[in-house]
Amino acid sequence: MSLAAKIFWNTLMVLAIVLGLTGWWSVASERAALEETITKHGKAIAQSLAAFSIEALVSQDYPSLDKALRTIGDHADNIVYLQISRGGHVVATFGQRGVGQTFTAPVILGEEGPEQQQIGEVSAILSKRDGNRLMTARIGHLLLNSLILFIVLALALHFLIHRLVLKRVAQLTKATDGVIAEHTPERAGTAAAPAGDELDLLHARYANLLWGLDLRERERTLTIAKLQAAQALLDDVANALPAALIVLTRALQIQYCNRAAHELAGRRLPSGQPQALLATLLPPLAPHLARIAEVADNRQAIELQRQFWPFANGQRIVNIAVYPLSSAAVGGLVIRIDDVTERTRLEEMMIQSEKLSSIGGLAAGVAHEINNPLGVMIQAAQNMERRMSVDIEANQRAARELGTDLATVRAYLEKRSILVFLDDIKNDGARAATIVRNLLEFSRKTEPVREDTDLAELVERAVEMARKDYDLKKRYDFRRIKLQVEVPAGLPAVPMIRSEVEQVILNLLKNAAQAMSEPVAEHRQEEPAIVIRAGLADGYAELRVQDNGPGFSDETKRRAFEPFFTTKAPGIGTGLGLWVSYMIMTDKHHGQLLLESQPGQGATFVLRFPL
């Protein structure tokens, strides 16, 4: 069977189904409309008879009702049966042969409401003969119209198939003959032209063409697979590197970025973007675009060490290297960005640790050296005081041998305030000895041992050490800061590593002193003050260190306990003090270190120890 015959007969079959469904729907719609008309007519007849029968039923004039029903039935062709009943008994009827539809209506006596009364019922059966006759005529007309439409559409379809399908298939077959002959090589076992329609023949010809093209496609596919494998390997290697790699064309357009570059930028860097957008996507590169462009021109690599880049998560330290690409086809360059923040800070921490270790050893040695003359000085002062005492006989005897009175000598010493000076020597010597002892205990490297500690004693020792600390370079001096301690008596002892908690309190006191010495606080109206309070809350022992400094902003408060984060100028703070304090409180003591602060309203650090 030809292509035209296949399309023609299949389309006629679909068209017949569509016309049949359309005719069935039309007949169903006509039948429903006819049923609705008969229903309305039957209800109207029943209601009219009910209204007509009220008076006759009341007067029990049944002969008149029977006569009226017969008169109505004889003059109406579509009425098959009429009946009026009362109390379940038929009082008047009219009937003839035929099939119809029944309609009933009650005979109501009285107005609407509680006084109404049903005195009978009317039934009417209407014939469907006229409706069936009308539907038969409608169906005949519909079949005739559908047949005429089917024939017209079949002729139009036959014309369109030949004009729009078969003619163009023939033209396509003729046009592909030359292409098939040129691109399809001879292959063994080529089958003869298949039997079938025009499309089967065209399919066979294209199969030969595709077989020939497949030989070339295999080579191209193999080459692409090798290129993709090489590209995937290069991508894996580049993405595995921790350094950010950005490949630029000679016009400084982004050509390739590895995963680390996207992470460094905080977004996905699009390819093929011009120089201006490169500076927008990576703003820290903007000052170096001129030097990067020189690399593309003079083909000389450059390196930029220790560049400070601001990011949303803090300042980072990076090394930048720009290398020209040797391929003449590309002629661009590659930028390598290494994040050396952690390495640099670890180096600084090691240097600082060595420095602190050296200072600690030096302080311990100096403390030992000072301790000896302090002991001699205090002992000498005590001996001087004993040898001027009037209660010792040896002192009295030595005074008499020299021809003087010890009471007179003592009166002279008191007159000239020499005894007061001697007390000052003893007191300050004892004070210096206490400072040396605290310094030795604080700098001594011992295994951390938890011991029950009195908070009042702990705070007193930390405050005493802080009062001796001042730094003119860093512009803070505890001698000019009001230190107030409010530790109530009767607090339970707290298990802790005493030296480490002393370090935490000293860190907080120094931070508060430095904050209150900042230039922004120079015009404060109140005296710089630090208040230390202790108490119990929610099963914890609390120490609150409160200052009236400038306070923390929301951003600095959120990042206050991050390592290496500092708001101080370079060279003043390392950003480790609060982090170390936080680690001591949380990791080693399983407690809490909280910060409560508002800008311009001071800051309060809360140390919470579990009991």
Side-chain angles (χ1 to χ4, degrees):
M1 185 181 292
S2 66
L3 177 63
K6 291 179 180 179
I7 297 175
F8 180 76
W9 289 113
N10 283 281
T11 306
L12 285 184
M13 184 182 300
V14 173
L15 184 60
I17 293 173
V18 172
L19 290 177
L21 293 175
T22 303
W24 174 82
W25 179 80
S26 300
V27 170
S29 299
E30 289 287 345
R31 189 178 299 278
L34 183 60
E35 288 287 340
E36 184 178 1
T37 301
I38 294 174
T39 300
K40 291 180 180 180
H41 191 197
K43 289 181 179 180
I45 292 175
Q47 292 173 357
S48 298
L49 285 177
F52 169 77
S53 306
I54 292 175
E55 184 177 353
L57 287 177
V58 172
S59 59
Q60 297 185 0
D61 187 3
Y62 300 144
S64 298
L65 287 177
D66 187 70
K67 181 179 179 180
L69 292 185
R70 293 182 179 280
T71 302
I72 295 172
D74 291 338
H75 289 82
D77 295 337
N78 60 338
I79 294 178
V80 177
Y81 180 78
L82 295 176
Q83 173 184 295
I84 298 176
S85 60
R86 182 176 185 177
H89 301 284
V90 177
V91 299
T93 62
F94 166 78
Q96 60 182 6
R97 298 178 62 186
V99 179
Q101 186 172 354
T102 304
F103 301 94
T104 62
V107 181
I108 303 300
L109 179 63
E111 301 292 337
E112 294 184 359
E115 300 299 331
Q116 67 181 7
Q117 179 183 1
Q118 180 175 338
I119 61 173
E121 185 180 62
V122 174
S123 298
I125 300 177
L126 301 186
S127 173
K128 291 185 177 181
R129 182 177 58 249
D130 295 338
N132 292 334
R133 189 166 51 247
L134 179 61
M135 287 301 303
T136 301
R138 293 283 180 87
I139 291 173
H141 290 146
L142 181 61
L143 290 175
L144 179 61
N145 293 336
S146 298
L147 180 61
I148 295 173
L149 179 61
F150 184 79
I151 294 173
V152 172
L153 290 177
L155 294 176
L157 179 63
H158 185 269
F159 172 76
L160 292 176
I161 289 173
H162 279 275
R163 181 176 179 83
L164 300 179
V165 179
L166 296 181
K167 184 177 180 181
R168 296 190 179 185
V169 170
Q171 294 174 351
L172 180 60
T173 303
K174 184 177 179 181
T176 55
D177 285 342
V179 178
I180 294 174
E182 180 180 356
H183 292 88
T184 304
E186 295 292 336
R187 57 173 175 170
T190 302
D197 56 30
E198 294 86 347
L199 289 181
D200 293 331
L201 178 61
L202 187 61
H203 177 268
R205 293 184 178 182
Y206 270 104
N208 290 335
L209 175 62
L210 293 176
W211 178 84
L213 294 177
D214 183 61
L215 296 178
R216 301 181 182 181
E217 182 65 20
R218 292 176 186 175
E219 298 179 0
R220 190 178 71 88
T221 303
L222 182 60
T223 303
I224 291 176
K226 291 181 179 179
L227 291 176
Q228 289 176 344
Q231 181 66 37
L233 177 61
L234 292 176
D235 287 342
D236 290 341
V237 172
N239 290 327
L241 295 175
L245 296 179
I246 304 174
V247 180
L248 303 178
T249 64
R250 183 180 293 273
L252 299 186
Q253 292 181 334
I254 299 177
Q255 192 173 25
Y256 173 81
C257 298
N258 68 344
R259 185 183 296 112
H262 300 307
E263 294 175 353
L264 185 65
R267 70 186 81 181
R268 184 164 186 84
L269 298 176
S271 301
Q273 299 298 333
Q275 173 180 346
L277 190 53
L278 173 63
T280 302
L281 296 174
L282 287 172
L285 278 180
H288 309 295
L289 286 180
R291 297 190 63 184
I292 294 174
E294 292 178 0
V295 174
D297 296 332
N298 57 29
R299 320 302 295 166
Q300 295 293 328
I302 62 171
E303 293 186 3
L304 305 172
Q305 301 291 331
R306 294 179 61 85
Q307 301 294 312
F308 292 88
W309 281 21
F311 287 96
N313 57 352
Q315 190 180 65
R316 311 295 294 177
I317 304 173
V318 299
N319 290 342
I320 305 173
V322 185
Y323 304 101
L325 295 177
S326 59
S327 175
V330 179
L333 48 89
V334 59
I335 301 176
R336 190 190 74 206
I337 304 174
D338 295 295
D339 187 350
V340 295
T341 305
E342 300 302 327
R343 185 177 69 190
T344 303
R345 288 174 176 170
L346 285 176
E347 292 173 355
E348 294 176 353
M349 287 177 61
M350 292 175 64
I351 295 173
Q352 184 70 10
S353 178
E354 292 295 330
K355 185 187 299 183
L356 292 176
S357 178
S358 300
I359 293 175
L362 178 61
V366 171
H368 278 294
E369 294 299 327
I370 293 176
N371 213 19
N372 293 330
L374 277 177
V376 174
M377 182 182 70
I378 295 172
Q379 185 178 9
Q382 290 174 347
N383 288 333
M384 290 173 62
E385 186 177 16
R386 289 184 73 256
R387 301 207 175 176
M388 288 183 292
S389 174
V390 297
D391 298 330
I392 300 176
E393 179 61 28
N395 295 342
Q396 295 282 0
R397 185 170 56 251
R400 287 193 299 269
E401 290 176 357
L402 294 175
T404 184
D405 183 7
L406 189 58
T408 303
V409 174
R410 189 172 183 85
Y412 170 78
L413 295 177
E414 291 177 354
K415 180 71 173 180
R416 298 297 295 166
S417 301
I418 294 176
L419 294 180
V420 176
F421 297 152
L422 193 60
D423 288 337
D424 291 341
I425 292 174
K426 283 198 315 179
N427 293 334
D428 288 344
R431 185 179 177 188
T434 302
I435 294 173
V436 170
R437 184 174 61 254
N438 290 340
L439 181 60
L440 285 173
E441 290 181 2
F442 188 74
S443 61
R444 185 179 297 119
K445 293 183 178 179
T446 59
E447 291 296 328
V449 177
R450 292 179 181 271
E451 54 183 338
D452 291 341
T453 304
D454 183 8
L455 291 181
E457 180 184 351
L458 176 73
V459 173
E460 182 180 355
R461 287 170 55 86
V463 169
E464 185 175 355
M465 295 180 65
R467 290 185 188 276
K468 308 303 181 295
D469 188 16
Y470 65 93
D471 193 328
L472 297 179
K473 180 180 178 181
K474 297 180 181 178
R475 299 191 308 274
Y476 73 89
D477 185 355
F478 279 99
R479 295 174 299 181
R480 299 181 180 179
I481 298 175
K482 180 181 178 182
L483 274 172
Q484 181 179 349
V485 179
E486 300 177 1
V487 180
L491 290 178
V494 179
M496 67 176 67
I497 305 171
R498 181 180 300 178
S499 60
E500 293 185 354
V501 178
E502 281 183 6
Q503 179 183 353
V504 172
I505 298 175
L506 282 175
N507 284 342
L508 298 180
L509 292 175
K510 288 182 179 181
N511 283 347
Q514 290 174 353
M516 289 186 293
S517 67
E518 293 294 328
V520 70
E522 287 181 353
H523 303 290
R524 64 169 67 248
Q525 299 297 323
E526 55 184 342
E527 178 186 5
I530 300 176
V531 180
I532 303 177
R533 295 185 177 92
L536 301 177
D538 301 328
Y540 287 88
E542 282 191 354
L543 275 178
R544 305 177 71 90
V545 181
Q546 180 180 359
D547 65 69
N548 59 352
F552 287 74
S553 65
D554 292 339
E555 175 66 18
T556 55
K557 183 168 64 175
R558 181 178 62 84
R559 303 185 55 201
F561 298 116
E562 292 183 7
F564 307 110
F565 175 75
T566 179
T567 59
K568 302 181 181 66
I572 296 180
T574 62
L576 292 174
L578 286 180
W579 176 68
V580 171
S581 301
Y582 184 83
M583 299 303 294
I584 289 174
M585 289 299 302
T586 57
D587 287 358
K588 292 190 175 183
H589 291 81
H590 305 291
Q592 299 176 357
L593 179 56
L594 308 176
L595 172 58
E596 301 172 357
S597 178
Q598 293 294 332
Q601 300 181 12
T604 301
F605 285 91
V606 183
L607 288 73
R608 309 188 76 190
F609 302 90
L611 296 175

